Amino acid sequence: MARGSFMARAVQWGRNGWPRQVLFSSKSPIKSRGRELGAANFTLKAYQARLLDAFRDYLSLANRCGGATAFVRYTGLPYRQAPHVAEGTPYVCLRVPTGGGKTLLAAHTVGIAARAFLCVPNPMVLWLVPSTPILEQTVAALKNWEHPYHTALARDFGQNVLILTRGEALSLSRADAEGGACIIVATIQSFRRDDKEGLKVYADNGALMDHFSGLSQDQRARLDQAGDATRPIASFSNLLRLHRPMVIVDEAHNARTSLSFDTLARFEPSLVLEITATPRTAHDPSRDIHASNILHSVSAADLKAEQMIKLPIRLTTDRDWRKTVGAALDCRHWLEQAAQAECAETGEYIRPILLFQAQANSRADPHRITVDVLRSHLIGDKCVPEEQIAVVTGNRTEIDKVDLNAPDCPIRHIITVQKLKEGWDCPFAYVLCSVAEQTSRTAIEQILGRVLRMPQARLKQRDALNRAYAYVASASFDAAAQRLRDGLVEGAGFNRLEADGVISAQGNPGFDMAAHDTSHISDAIDDAAVTAEALADVFEQLPTPIRSRVSFDPEARTIVYKGQMSREGRNLLHLASAKLPRLERVIDRLYARSNNFQTSAATGEARPTFIVPRLGIWKQGRLELFDQDHFLGLPWRLDACDPAPIVERFRAVDERQSGQIDVTDSGKVEIRFVRHMQGALSGVTQEHGWTLPRLVHWLDRGIPHADVTKPSAVRFISAALEALVVSGIELDVLVRDRYELRKVIAGVIGELREDREHTAYDALFPVNAEDFATSAELGLILDEANYAYNQPYAGGTAFNKHYTPLIGDLKPEGEEFDCAIYIDRHKDVRYWIRNVERKHTSFWLQLSGGKFYPDFIAMLRDDRILVIEYKGGDRYDQAAPKRRIGQLWADASDGRCLFCMPTGRDFLSINRVIGWQVNDP
């Protein structure tokens, strides 16, 4: 759902069963510093939206019960108090693997924190980065009005966004500090007292004097005092303390010492948010080891399913470093040929880049393959043009101010040691070549992530361009592969089980590229229903890049496919030909033939396509995927609803009672922290000139309502405020408690929306029962390439029939786990898959207020599809709406689909649904 003027992504499905992006935005453009921004040309990925929702939900809970209690309730995990930081300060971590968009997500968290927790329109943010190069990169992007990072801030704060370095902040004016979101980007080192520059943070500064005039006694008491104790020190440190900054720690694993936390504590942060690919999980304060409180984790599978990264990584090893370099050069050459063909076909420009990792200079070892040695070898022995080589190491940064993505850029080879780890990002990097066997795991992990990012976050037609490549000088393939796996875990944030499955041996890249232009012929089609006209209709539904490669030979009655058929191409052909079921095996054999797979082997590549028909509804002669749009008319006339519940629920905050909400001592401390922090922030600026219309506009802007027009929302909110005033609450009180008021109004609107959804949903089925149909035309294909999950299963029990190598989000014990074992061992089940909740590539059925994601989906040996949702006995009665929609899905399938909801370990109910007459599998 769109929030304010934010452009969010929803996922709808076209007739071919693949997702298309739908943008929702307000009609008003975003403005930044007087310059108008059009609709931002980017959307959040589904995993990014889920992460931000988790952060928002946590802060809303922390607002009510404190940071520690909220974390335990939200995650079920123990909370680790940050050392030195005031008790009650929310301290959480968002884990995002390399390539997942950490900086974009960090920019979005600022507005969320300001609304859900800080309750101010002008937050101050201390954004800490690990190094100067990353600082420069981050500041440049945040200051760029056209960049997604800045747009993410502008959607919440409009033109009132100020980006500063620590040096610039030393002369920050009071008007700028209080006028909107103030983002100060710095390194943690720049605040250390043992550094000359760091001392400036704590010294009297005449340029900051104005910030400390007119302060209350309570405000002055919180600040460091000058030597005569007659006034606060006019320091940048005191300025931060006055504004209780939100602290964002980018790549937090680099700032985890007690000294780092002590530095943060000096500024009395309102909350500390870590964003990193590799959070610290060990906790031993006696050894100065402090674990992160991981609130939400994004998996590598999420990134792969969203086409954000190149996988797998194809590895080649050789003892001779010169042969290793030669093989890497050949690979890059073949990739460039594939990229040129891709550009001719799709218009997307890619220039594959090869990253060389050389050894550092050492007087003790004159035989090292250093940057200069490697560069001389490339130019002298391999005849690589000098202008195609750039060196990035030490003081040599030959790609500074070079746009590597520009078509006229000649650079194809970059030599480094480890400097590329610092803020460098180029999706054109495809090949990593490490030239010395003794290269450490740490050195590998520092730049391995640089070859993982997918250009344009979109799969290419040529599979060779969807992979990354590594060439390592090593006598042992297994040892080199293990180093790469360790690098993915320690450096890129992969789960160990995920990393184990993404390193594979590289074949002949030249053969792979040449195979893309070879024509492959299917078996003869013996089904008379498959005519040239029927296949023309099938081909017409395909995307142009695939349609241009497939044809039908009417004389031989065969399908001809040019090049290697990708999994996506196979899947789209299956969906487009759903009305011609006899084509399924023909397409599968053609897919295997074009990729040189041995279909007689029981390999993953030879498995049948897992197509799950989905529930549709006929509208005007067209079968459409059944979703919320089919029972909710838009826009919703909110102004026709009664605002009386708002008057009943809103109570002006009695400051004398704040902090007494939780009964435990620790809870009291947390609540006192939240109330005290919010009071301190509201006291920094005194806003005047509030009127009822202004308050209405402020409330409307802060409550998401994509299904309600602005005039309708304004009328409803105006009526609520007028009723509150009539009840005896003065405008000044409503303004003072506007954040609590907004929470109450948003809650009532949510309840009214829920009632509307339930009523419309329930009314649909009796009237439109005959209009539903479950069809493979709307089918969803379950595939390893787009199978997303949060955490892979790591239990000791082996599963033999799961469709993908890794199983997502399955706990190694409990009733649901036992259900999975029963399914896996059932003789009628050919394959099954764990259906992961809230992933856009998962199967779902529409409920009144959201989507229902069943637990398991099984492909039976007779080709029927069985969907299973397990429910504990205490939740079975509440699951009646899920049973109804699940049974409707099955009933509308003409017997091709089955639905079952076992409870109380009654797994024999699965047999009964399948049609068994006996109860023993």
Side-chain angles (χ1 to χ4, degrees), residues 697-765:
H697 175 72
W698 184 89
L699 291 167
D700 172 66
R701 194 161 53 89
I703 299 174
H705 53 75
D707 52 349
V708 181
T709 65
K710 185 178 179 66
S712 179
V714 166
R715 285 193 293 270
F716 177 81
I717 296 171
S718 297
L721 295 192
E722 290 168 1
L724 285 167
V725 172
V726 170
S727 72
I729 302 177
E730 296 181 356
L731 175 61
D732 289 346
V733 175
L734 295 177
V735 170
R736 184 195 69 190
D737 297 335
R738 61 189 180 277
Y739 288 94
E740 181 65 24
L741 176 60
R742 184 175 68 187
K743 187 189 307 179
V744 170
I745 294 177
V748 170
I749 292 176
E751 292 174 7
L752 292 170
R753 177 181 290 114
E754 187 174 330
D755 290 343
R756 172 177 180 259
E757 291 168 350
H758 281 306
T759 301
Y761 184 78
D762 291 341
L764 178 72
F765 298 101

Side-chain angles (χ1 to χ4, degrees), residues 248-508:
I248 297 174
V249 188
D250 185 11
E251 298 296 352
H253 59 281
N254 291 306
R256 307 216 39 81
T257 65
S258 181
L259 177 60
S260 297
F261 285 113
D262 181 55
T263 301
L264 294 181
R266 294 171 186 162
F267 310 134
E268 295 189 9
S270 55
L271 68 97
V272 179
L273 172 64
E274 301 175 336
I275 302 184
T276 181
T278 53
R280 178 73 60 84
T281 55
H283 189 67
D284 187 353
S286 66
R287 297 171 52 204
D288 199 18
I289 298 175
H290 305 279
S292 296
N293 295 312
I294 303 174
L295 178 71
H296 185 89
S297 290
V298 174
S299 69
D302 282 319
L303 271 59
K304 182 180 178 182
E306 293 280 7
Q307 305 177 16
M308 295 288 286
I309 54 178
K310 315 181 193 97
L311 286 177
I313 300 173
R314 293 296 174 86
L315 171 65
T316 302
T317 62
D318 195 289
R319 184 189 298 272
D320 188 332
W321 71 267
R322 293 175 180 83
K323 291 183 179 178
T324 301
V325 169
L329 289 170
D330 288 343
C331 178
R332 199 218 66 81
H333 172 72
W334 288 115
L335 286 171
E336 180 149 1
Q337 289 190 334
Q340 290 170 352
E342 184 84 7
C343 184
E345 190 171 299
T346 67
E348 180 181 353
Y349 173 75
I350 301 173
R351 187 182 67 263
I353 290 176
L354 169 55
L355 303 183
F356 287 101
Q357 186 171 39
Q359 291 184 288
N361 293 311
S362 172
R363 293 182 180 179
D365 184 2
H367 301 293
R368 285 192 167 216
I369 303 103
T370 63
V371 169
D372 291 334
V373 170
L374 184 55
R375 185 175 184 276
S376 297
H377 176 70
L378 292 176
I379 295 173
D381 298 337
K382 296 298 182 181
C383 301
V384 176
E386 190 171 350
E387 65 272 13
Q388 293 186 7
I389 303 173
V391 174
V392 184
T393 183
N395 295 323
R396 299 170 66 179
T397 54
E398 297 174 1
I399 59 174
D400 278 1
K401 300 180 180 180
V402 174
D403 183 4
L404 292 172
N405 297 321
D408 59 352
C409 176
I411 295 174
R412 286 162 170 79
H413 310 86
I414 296 175
I415 307 175
T416 186
V417 175
Q418 64 178 28
K419 191 171 183 180
L420 287 182
K421 68 176 181 175
E422 297 183 334
W424 189 81
D425 182 19
C426 178
F428 285 178
Y430 265 84
V431 188
L432 167 65
C433 179
S434 184
V435 297
E437 183 165 4
Q438 63 266 34
T439 302
S440 68
R441 182 194 73 188
T442 302
I444 286 283
E445 75 187 34
Q446 287 167 345
I447 67 170
L448 180 58
R450 304 307 169 202
V451 299
L452 295 182
R453 289 174 171 83
M454 178 74 76
Q456 300 298 321
R458 183 173 59 242
L459 284 178
K460 314 308 171 196
Q461 296 304 313
R462 287 153 181 79
D463 273 348
L465 297 173
N466 297 325
R467 306 166 185 151
Y469 302 83
Y471 290 79
V472 179
S474 174
S476 169
F477 176 90
D478 291 340
Q482 189 57 49
R483 279 161 50 206
L484 290 182
R485 293 187 189 105
D486 291 342
L488 289 172
V489 173
E490 302 296 333
F494 278 49
N495 180 283
R496 176 67 64 181
L497 292 173
E498 293 174 324
D500 287 344
V502 299
I503 307 293
S504 60
Q506 165 72 310
N508 185 328

Side-chain angles (χ1 to χ4, degrees), residues 761-788:
Y761 184 78
D762 291 341
L764 178 72
F765 298 101
V767 177
N768 302 89
E770 300 301 319
D771 294 335
F772 288 96
T774 298
S775 172
E777 286 189 75
L778 303 173
L780 173 71
I781 289 190
L782 305 177
D783 187 83
E784 180 184 352
N786 59 21
Y787 182 54

Side-chain angles (χ1 to χ4, degrees), residues 34-111:
R35 180 173 179 177
E36 186 173 288
L37 293 176
N41 188 25
F42 74 96
T43 59
L44 285 174
K45 299 292 186 180
Y47 73 85
Q48 294 172 332
R50 286 193 301 271
L51 178 143
L52 294 174
D53 284 343
F55 185 58
R56 181 183 296 105
D57 292 344
Y58 164 74
L59 289 183
S60 297
L61 188 57
N63 206 353
R64 299 194 298 271
C65 61
T69 302
F71 181 84
V72 174
R73 291 183 183 177
Y74 192 83
T75 66
L77 300 173
Y79 181 82
R80 311 291 190 183
Q81 176 66 38
H84 306 293
V85 177
E87 185 177 356
T89 307
Y91 159 58
V92 294
C93 173
L94 301 174
R95 176 186 172 273
V96 184
T98 296
K102 289 188 290 293
T103 309
L104 174 64
L105 290 167
H108 278 285
T109 64
V110 177

Side-chain angles (χ1 to χ4, degrees), residues 529-574:
V530 180
T531 63
E533 292 76 14
L535 282 176
D537 290 340
V538 169
F539 297 160
E540 185 64 28
Q541 299 178 51
L542 299 171
T544 301
I546 297 176
R547 187 169 65 244
S548 65
R549 291 183 169 275
V550 65
S551 60
F552 177 61
D553 183 342
E555 294 184 3
R557 292 191 58 77
T558 57
I559 296 174
V560 181
Y561 196 91
K562 183 180 179 183
Q564 291 173 291
M565 186 186 297
S566 66
R567 280 187 175 184
E568 182 181 10
R570 180 195 66 176
N571 293 346
L572 290 173
L573 274 168
H574 274 307

